[in-house]
Amino acid sequence: MAPNRGNVVVLQSGGPTPVINRSLFGLVDEASTSGAFGRVLGASHGMEGLLADDLIDLAAQPRGMWRRVARTPGAALGSTRRKLKPEDVPTVLQTLSDRDVRYCFIIGGNDSAETGLSISLEARRAGYDLTVVCVPKTIDNDLVLTDHTPGYGSAARFVAFATSGVGADAESMGKAAPIAIVEVMGRDTG
């Protein structure tokens, strides 16, 4: 009899970026074909789905669908900005236990990483064997000890092209409108 490898749950969290679904595709593809895990589940709308036990069997979806998802904007599982609250802990741990989830992947930014750390610490406190991995995707590029997050490059490229276009527009207007202001999101890195 094969040892129980435990199941995987994937959460998408934070603002959707061009890479949030790319990361989802990579996780589902590798986790479902590696033989290292049991079922590969996705939490609908991240933490909200985990709290409601609204989990989808991702490996059961049509194989060709994931390549399309990888090129699709938005968050295929639905995203959230909901953080783990102390009163959520028993429900989250019960959902993980009921589904035999031993690996939790959270695709997100610094708030998502903080939620992942909280889940990991609470699982350890409860004696529940759980590995939590945060997959960076933030355009903010503000995760400690991370050189460049995947979302940052695509956002920086977009901003570079947009700024170039705005600059050309302002230059062509001459004295009529010589100044353009470009505001960029990205917390401290915009």
Side-chain angles (χ1 to χ4, degrees):
M1 179 182 270
N4 184 349
R5 299 170 305 225
N7 296 322
V8 170
V9 70
V10 181
L11 291 78
Q12 289 182 309
S13 182
T17 72
V19 298
I20 195 169
N21 286 334
R22 200 88 165 125
S23 297
L24 176 64
F25 162 70
L27 280 168
V28 172
D29 187 54
E30 186 62 28
S32 61
T33 60
S34 70
F37 307 103
R39 295 174 62 206
V40 181
L41 307 169
S44 180
H45 296 280
M47 182 58 65
E48 294 168 31
L50 200 53
L51 286 165
D53 193 24
D54 187 4
L55 306 182
I56 304 157
D57 188 342
L58 301 178
Q61 304 308 311
R63 188 105 176 106
M65 177 190 89
W66 291 110
R67 293 214 182 272
R68 289 190 307 277
V69 165
R71 296 185 305 271
T72 303
L77 294 175
S79 192
T80 187
R81 294 203 181 269
R82 192 177 196 296
K83 296 180 183 183
L84 184 69
K85 299 175 185 171
E87 61 268 20
D88 297 336
V89 172
T91 303
V92 167
L93 293 179
Q94 188 65 54
T95 298
L96 296 172
S97 177
D98 289 349
R99 299 293 193 116
D100 192 27
V101 170
R102 299 297 172 173
Y103 306 91
C104 178
F105 293 89
I106 302 177
I107 306 169
N110 58 345
D111 286 340
S112 306
E114 184 179 312
T115 295
L117 176 61
S118 296
I119 291 171
S120 179
L121 293 173
E122 293 298 339
R124 185 178 304 149
R125 241 187 296 276
Y128 187 76
D129 182 26
L130 180 69
T131 299
V132 179
V133 177
C134 295
V135 180
K137 62 84 197 157
T138 178
I139 66 167
D140 300 340
N141 204 39
D142 60 355
L143 291 173
V144 175
L145 302 177
T146 303
D147 183 48
H148 286 84
T149 58
Y152 179 72
S154 56
R157 182 176 185 267
F158 174 82
V159 169
F161 283 128
T163 302
S164 176
V166 168
D169 289 350
E171 186 177 10
S172 68
M173 290 300 294
K175 291 181 180 180
I179 297 172
I181 298 172
V182 178
E183 182 179 359
V184 185
M185 63 183 287
R187 203 166 287 165
D188 299 326
T189 59

